[in-house]
Amino acid sequence: MLVRPRRNRISSEIRGLVRETSLSAQHLVWPLFVQEGHKRETPISSMPGQSRLSVDLVVERAKAARDLGVAGVALFPALPDSLKDPRGKESTNPGGLLQRTVSELKSKVPDLVVITDVALDPYSSDGHDGVVIDGRIDNDVTVPILAEMAVAQARAGADIVAPSDMMDGRVGAIRRALDENGFSQVGICSYCVKYASGFYGPFREALDSAPRSGDKKTYQMDPANVREALREVRLDEAEGADYLLVKPGLPYLDVIRFVREHTSLPIVTYHVSGEFAMLKAAAQNGWLDYDRCLIETLLGFRRAGADVIFTYAAVEAAKLLKGGQG
Ligand code: PBG
């Protein structure tokens, strides 16, 4: 035999020489759920190890994550029903929970990248990402609210705003609103290719934000489609997005690769709540080696073409990577 591929796998050092993909904590963003209170932690049963945290605990945990090299956090507020209404008024409150969390984080952990979610669902009494009028999600009524929400988050100190709502035209509207208000340095991470997925279940439990009626199929993408992603990519590029996000992650690795081949923008993927829950559940049953499968999953995102990964396992992964695994 003249050709023996195994020669390039002969030792750890040789494997290191020929390794094609790298993974480190600098690529990771940790999604966090914030709630009112002091030293208050409410575990999320379907996401073992993850909790809703009061602002002081968010700051404490985010600092520890940063010390391990995790690049940033993505924040989602868990609000009581009393603060929810059809138009998500609370979302633009300068003294609201999310805005307070952002300013605390930026003052206490300044080098942590703080990413905020722009969508109505945590604030909406209908549990939808947009305003519901006569049973339909009204795109054009929603967009100005999203733009105002993004400005409130930027004013609180957000580094990057991340519209996760899938309304048409919102990236351009947010970009204009940010610029008009003096926030031209604030980036936009667009949830550009977001599918109507069953894998968001545990997240909706965490925020108690499931749609009160209907589903999200008139705004989130059909899992059967991939060409359609290109339309979203072209629009978000033209509207000024700085990052394009593909979500969920694992069942859509082909989409990450497809988008990678059609844009020069950085690509983000979201290892979503249901993907995290599957791995935890299998590990708790002794059916999978959690550490090993976690690193393999994250590496898979990077190999497919993702620059940045949102994952609930960011801290666990950062510890493993520090310990030389991966
Ligand atoms: C909604 C939003 C969702 C997630 C992030 N932002 C859920 C949804 O679209 O219903 C899901 C994240 C996860 O499952 O981890 N704006």
Side-chain angles (χ1 to χ4, degrees):
M1 258 188 285
L2 294 177
V3 181
R4 288 181 182 270
R6 287 185 56 190
R7 274 195 290 267
N8 286 359
R9 301 176 199 137
I10 217 155
S11 68
S12 156
E13 292 70 27
I14 298 276
R15 290 192 295 275
L17 280 179
V18 301
R19 184 159 299 131
E20 299 171 38
T21 309
S22 68
L23 171 69
S24 79
Q26 85 188 62
H27 304 121
L28 304 180
V29 169
W30 188 23
L32 282 173
F33 303 107
V34 51
Q35 65 181 2
E36 288 293 357
H38 183 71
K39 294 258 175 280
R40 183 161 165 247
E41 171 161 12
T42 314
I44 301 158
S45 60
S46 54
M47 301 173 72
Q50 306 297 302
S51 303
R52 293 194 296 253
L53 301 169
S54 52
V55 182
D56 51 332
L57 292 182
V58 165
V59 171
E60 194 180 291
R61 305 285 160 86
K63 170 135 191 18
R66 182 66 201 127
D67 289 343
L68 282 164
V70 172
V73 293
L75 300 175
F76 298 93
L79 299 178
D81 279 349
S82 58
L83 285 179
K84 300 184 183 184
D85 65 36
R87 298 199 176 212
K89 192 156 50 47
E90 176 64 11
S91 66
T92 56
N93 177 359
L97 174 64
L98 182 77
Q99 273 72 257
R100 277 183 280 121
T101 311
V102 171
S103 44
E104 277 292 294
L105 275 173
K106 286 314 293 184
S107 75
K108 306 246 167 75
V109 201
D111 64 347
L112 179 79
V113 180
V114 174
I115 303 173
T116 48
D117 185 65
V118 180
L120 246 56
D121 53 325
Y123 309 94
S124 156
S125 46
D126 295 302
H128 274 286
D129 293 26
V131 177
V132 182
I133 296 178
D134 295 335
R136 289 185 308 108
I137 317 305
D138 193 301
N139 196 89
D140 300 5
V141 167
T142 304
V143 168
I145 300 175
L146 298 173
E148 213 188 314
M149 189 186 313
V151 170
Q153 295 170 351
R155 190 159 281 133
D159 297 296
I160 298 172
V161 297
S164 67
D165 56 287
M166 292 296 281
M167 297 301 118
D168 294 333
R170 91 284 206 213
V171 171
I174 289 171
R175 184 70 274 157
R176 274 187 296 277
L178 288 173
D179 291 357
E180 280 165 19
N181 286 276
F183 299 112
S184 59
Q185 81 288 0
V186 171
I188 300 178
C189 171
S190 173
Y191 285 63
C192 171
V193 186
K194 175 172 176 178
Y195 288 92
S197 171
F199 287 96
Y200 307 149
F203 174 97
R204 294 178 188 172
E205 179 205 319
L207 292 189
D208 187 22
S209 66
R212 304 286 151 97
S213 72
D215 55 41
K216 300 193 176 184
K217 290 179 184 167
T218 67
Y219 45 108
Q220 299 179 345
M221 276 177 54
D222 182 338
N225 291 358
V226 66
R227 288 197 312 263
E228 190 184 350
L230 203 48
R231 296 186 87 189
E232 296 285 357
V233 166
R234 292 286 174 257
L235 282 167
D236 284 356
E237 284 181 328
E239 292 177 32
D242 300 288
Y243 307 79
L244 301 181
L245 187 146
V246 176
K247 175 186 177 194
L250 265 192
Y252 298 88
L253 288 177
D254 61 317
V255 181
I256 297 174
R257 169 52 47 189
F258 177 77
V259 174
R260 172 73 293 152
E261 283 166 3
H262 287 90
T263 186
S264 58
L265 287 176
I267 294 180
V268 183
T269 195
Y270 201 140
H271 180 222
V272 302
S273 57
E275 300 173 57
F276 174 77
M278 288 197 302
L279 196 50
K280 281 287 180 191
Q284 283 180 347
N285 274 296
W287 295 340
L288 283 180
D289 175 335
Y290 180 79
D291 295 353
R292 196 172 165 193
C293 292
L294 172 63
I295 295 298
E296 188 174 333
T297 300
L298 301 179
L299 208 48
F301 294 139
R302 296 271 303 152
R303 193 185 62 243
D307 299 285
V308 181
I309 304 163
F310 284 24
T311 178
Y312 300 97
V315 171
E316 292 167 320
K319 285 183 185 155
L320 290 170
L321 292 166
K322 223 177 194 122
Q325 254 184 278

